[in-house]
Amino acid sequence: MDLYVPIIVLGVLALAFAAGSVAMASLTGPKRWNRARLDAYECGIEPTPQPVGGGRFPIKYYLTAMLFIVFDIEIIFLYPWAVAFNHMGIFGLVEMVLFIVTVLVAYAYIWRRGGLEWD
């Protein structure tokens, strides 16, 4: 149990800092509310009205999300593989080549669908 005490203390300190920051900001922050401040904000552009059932997102939104997930998963798998490369031998190399091929298939799909073209 002695090994976990520093981790628990760090977690408690992080929670206390987060809660304290939110509480202090709400207590010390300005309380001047007006119509402009309560309006929706979209990067300085006037918000566009949305249809009742929500709106349709362009496919680029989903392709960008998929690209992020593909590369995020790739990094999560590549780092431990690189650390333990000497212990896995040829089996680890073959498995990683197969994984990289599947990642390249997803990358080619996103490229073909126009996910890398920014307008």
Side-chain angles (χ1 to χ4, degrees):
M1 189 65 182
D2 290 337
L3 294 174
Y4 295 111
V5 170
I7 296 171
I8 293 170
V9 169
L10 184 63
V12 168
L13 283 174
L15 282 172
F17 179 76
S21 296
V22 170
M24 289 304 292
S26 65
L27 291 175
T28 62
K31 306 285 190 285
R32 295 182 301 265
W33 303 105
N34 56 25
R35 185 168 185 250
R37 189 166 178 165
L38 295 175
D39 260 354
Y41 181 72
E42 294 182 6
C43 301
I45 302 170
E46 289 295 323
T48 56
Q50 293 291 325
V52 175
R56 294 185 67 173
F57 287 102
I59 189 71
K60 292 207 183 229
Y61 175 79
Y62 297 106
L63 289 178
T64 304
M66 192 164 101
L67 187 66
F68 170 75
I69 290 170
V70 164
F71 285 115
D72 193 39
I73 291 173
E74 181 182 16
I75 294 299
I76 288 172
F77 284 139
L78 276 176
Y79 184 73
W81 173 78
V83 170
F85 178 71
N86 290 335
H87 301 292
M88 291 191 288
I90 194 72
F91 176 75
L93 180 65
V94 170
E95 290 297 321
M96 193 48 66
V97 167
L98 290 174
F99 174 70
I100 295 295
V101 166
T102 58
V103 167
L104 287 176
V105 167
Y107 180 70
Y109 173 77
I110 292 172
W111 189 356
R112 182 179 166 118
R113 296 289 292 181
L116 301 176
E117 297 171 8
W118 301 104
D119 297 330

